[in-house]
Amino acid sequence: MKVAVIGQGYVGLPLALAAAEAGYEVVGIDLDGDRVAGLNAGKSPIGDIADGYLAAQSVYYRASTDFADVVGAEVVVLCLPTPLDANRNPDNSMMLSGANSVAGFLSDGALVINESTVSPGFTREVLAPIFGGHDLAYSPERIDPANKNWNLKNTPKLVAGLAEAATSRAVQFYSKFVSSVSSFSSIEVVETAKLLENSFRLVNISFINEIADFCSKMKIDVREVISAASTKPYGFMPFFPSGGVGGHCIPVDPTYLAAKAKEIGASTRFIDLANEVNISRPSYFVGVATGILGSLSAKKIVVIGVAYKPDVADIRETPAEPLISLLRSAGADVVWHDHVVGQWKGEASAALSSGYDLAILVNPHTGTDLDALGSIPILDTRGGY
Ligand SMILES: NC(=O)c1ccc[n+]([C@@H]2O[C@H](COP(=O)([O-])OP(=O)(O)OC[C@H]3O[C@@H](n4cnc5c(N)ncnc54)[C@H](O)[C@@H]3O)[C@@H](O)[C@H]2O)c1
């Protein structure tokens, strides 16, 4: 059975390869010609996908920039980016462009599944008209880059179709390579479940960040507080402080829920407040750094770990970016160190040494050599300040 996966990024590539490994004939479509050429040459652009694994799937997998390759696919899965625009509103432009490109090449009887994160109602109200009478389903992706325990195959998958036939076809498709697939009564239930999961994380991480600031003023170790609270066997789940939530999902997806809420006159005050707390984290740490150094003017500062989370090279929405730019605006001489990211915004990762006035830890990776800092002051945004 032929499958087309539209978008070969963090979500679409692992999905396409898992489907190929299960025996589907898979074409991965992407607009990015360099990415497609690299994929066909066995070069993986994603840390979690080893070149060897990609090459091993070449019997059933190939990448293409040509939407005409969708012809003949029985299942077409959309894995397109849904970021925020410059005004922090949902940006559905890539989603719409990809969906419209696919629509012209759908074969009779093709099932379309959307995996991209969207506002509740989007799949039914916006995508269904684009795909005419084709079966349509929604199944959110839950991939957690660099997570060694949970992956595409063992993370339970949620599915709902516009009609019963689409639901059962989608369940059947995923069941070949995902160990647990559950179906629900409507697409909107599953769209909202995805946004609930990520809003839950944003709200709780922002909450623990406020608690961390409280503990800092009280001169209490917040990590010890969390560890103490975590001994409660029920009703508590630990979240950990940080320089701010980054990445393409947690700081972004809740705004897709909030946008829909605004449209229908419902309120999302927790999400709004969590966004406010999250966005203010970098400026909060500029204040802490100023408190440590007196003035930031001409002070040499190294920001360590600029990726949005440890052990990935992804810098989307990283809190390190506003942190560095605010420190520079305050007159500090700032470099950054990140051996996984390496190059970023025309700058290279700087060496670690004891020659700085201050080191600020954002997301240090496994293997970051903090001993090289000697005895300089370290501001750890993860709760050690
Ligand atoms: N990355 C994650 O951890 C994660 C987890 C859960 C859900 N999601 C959601 O999955 C969706 C995809 O995210 P991602 O992280 O894979 O994005 P990504 O940016 O890594 O990949 C998207 C790919 O789509 C390609 N593309 C863009 N426009 C296109 C078009 N019109 N036609 C064909 N290809 C096009 C891009 O070149 C890119 O390679 C988003 O809605 C995201 O919120 C992501």
Side-chain angles (χ1 to χ4, degrees), residues 20-165:
E21 196 183 4
Y24 292 116
E25 181 202 332
V26 182
V27 59
I29 310 266
D30 203 291
L31 286 184
D32 182 339
D34 290 343
R35 175 167 290 233
V36 165
L39 287 169
N40 286 332
K43 233 179 115 15
S44 166
I46 292 173
D48 284 345
I49 302 282
D51 288 349
Y53 173 67
L54 169 62
Q57 307 319 319
S58 64
V59 183
Y60 288 123
Y61 170 79
R62 73 188 169 89
S64 169
T65 53
D66 187 355
F67 278 89
D69 282 322
V70 168
V71 172
E74 285 180 46
V75 177
V76 179
V77 192
L78 306 177
C79 303
L80 294 161
T82 48
L84 298 180
D85 66 16
N87 299 318
R88 296 194 63 79
N89 291 318
D91 174 2
N92 292 310
S93 60
M94 286 176 273
M95 190 73 216
L96 291 174
S97 152
N100 280 304
S101 303
V102 163
F105 295 104
L106 284 180
S107 296
D108 285 352
L111 162 71
V112 181
I113 305 174
N114 177 28
E115 285 218 6
S116 294
T117 307
V118 291
S119 289
F122 184 90
T123 305
R124 184 188 302 273
E125 293 157 18
V126 181
L127 293 184
I130 295 175
F131 297 125
H134 283 276
D135 278 351
L136 180 60
Y138 182 70
S139 179
E141 178 49 60
R142 287 168 151 175
I143 210 156
D144 182 19
N147 190 323
K148 300 273 180 262
N149 300 320
W150 295 103
N151 54 47
L152 179 59
K153 292 177 189 169
N154 66 3
T155 303
K157 196 109 180 79
L158 312 181
V159 167
L162 216 49
E164 185 47 42

Side-chain angles (χ1 to χ4, degrees), residues 302 304 337 339 351-356 359 361 364-378 382:
V302 59
I304 300 174
H337 171 86
H339 69 273
L352 293 180
S353 75
S354 56
Y356 300 101
L361 307 188
H365 302 288
T366 308
T368 300
D369 180 18
L370 297 180
D371 289 345
L373 296 170
S375 56
I376 65 168
I378 295 176
R382 303 162 308 167

Side-chain angles (χ1 to χ4, degrees), residues 23-329:
Y24 292 116
E25 181 202 332
V26 182
V27 59
I29 310 266
D30 203 291
L31 286 184
D32 182 339
D34 290 343
R35 175 167 290 233
V36 165
L39 287 169
N40 286 332
K43 233 179 115 15
S44 166
I46 292 173
D48 284 345
I49 302 282
D51 288 349
Y53 173 67
L54 169 62
Q57 307 319 319
S58 64
V59 183
Y60 288 123
Y61 170 79
R62 73 188 169 89
S64 169
T65 53
D66 187 355
F67 278 89
D69 282 322
V70 168
V71 172
E74 285 180 46
V75 177
V76 179
V77 192
L78 306 177
C79 303
L80 294 161
T82 48
L84 298 180
D85 66 16
N87 299 318
R88 296 194 63 79
N89 291 318
D91 174 2
N92 292 310
S93 60
M94 286 176 273
M95 190 73 216
L96 291 174
S97 152
N100 280 304
S101 303
V102 163
F105 295 104
L106 284 180
S107 296
D108 285 352
L111 162 71
V112 181
I113 305 174
N114 177 28
E115 285 218 6
S116 294
T117 307
V118 291
S119 289
F122 184 90
T123 305
R124 184 188 302 273
E125 293 157 18
V126 181
L127 293 184
I130 295 175
F131 297 125
H134 283 276
D135 278 351
L136 180 60
Y138 182 70
S139 179
E141 178 49 60
R142 287 168 151 175
I143 210 156
D144 182 19
N147 190 323
K148 300 273 180 262
N149 300 320
W150 295 103
N151 54 47
L152 179 59
K153 292 177 189 169
N154 66 3
T155 303
K157 196 109 180 79
L158 312 181
V159 167
L162 216 49
E164 185 47 42
T167 308
S168 54
R169 287 181 72 190
V171 169
Q172 218 179 348
F173 165 66
Y174 286 116
S175 297
K176 281 243 164 65
F177 55 94
V178 180
S179 52
S180 163
V181 183
S182 311
S183 62
F184 292 84
S185 66
S186 77
I187 284 188
E188 286 76 9
V189 165
V190 183
E191 286 173 330
T192 308
K194 167 72 188 175
L195 298 176
L196 171 63
E197 290 166 16
N198 283 1
S199 300
F200 171 81
R201 285 188 63 76
L202 178 70
V203 167
N204 280 288
I205 295 168
S206 294
F207 173 58
I208 203 68
N209 278 336
E210 277 207 318
I211 296 293
D213 300 347
F214 166 81
C215 289
S216 171
K217 286 208 165 64
M218 288 288 291
K219 302 203 186 316
I220 303 169
D221 179 348
V222 66
R223 295 216 152 230
E224 198 181 350
V225 171
I226 296 166
S227 157
S230 298
T231 62
K232 189 177 180 184
Y234 53 88
F236 183 79
M237 179 182 283
F239 286 85
F240 298 95
S242 62
V245 185
H248 27 66
C249 288
I250 297 172
V252 171
D253 298 352
T255 298
Y256 278 73
L257 180 55
K260 186 67 182 185
K262 205 169 171 190
E263 192 186 308
I264 61 170
S267 88
T268 49
R269 285 174 292 163
F270 279 96
I271 292 175
D272 301 343
L273 183 60
N275 271 330
E276 194 185 299
V277 170
N278 187 46
I279 288 166
S280 70
R281 291 308 281 162
S283 63
Y284 169 79
F285 283 109
V286 171
V288 179
T290 310
I292 295 170
L293 295 173
S295 151
L296 295 183
S297 181
K299 293 286 165 41
K300 293 179 74 172
I301 298 178
V302 59
V303 172
I304 300 174
V306 297
Y308 86 86
K309 69 185 272 192
D311 300 335
V312 302
D314 192 345
I315 43 70
R316 287 180 290 179
E317 306 281 332
T318 175
E321 185 169 358
L323 176 66
I324 290 170
S325 92
L326 288 168
L327 291 166
R328 284 178 177 160
S329 304

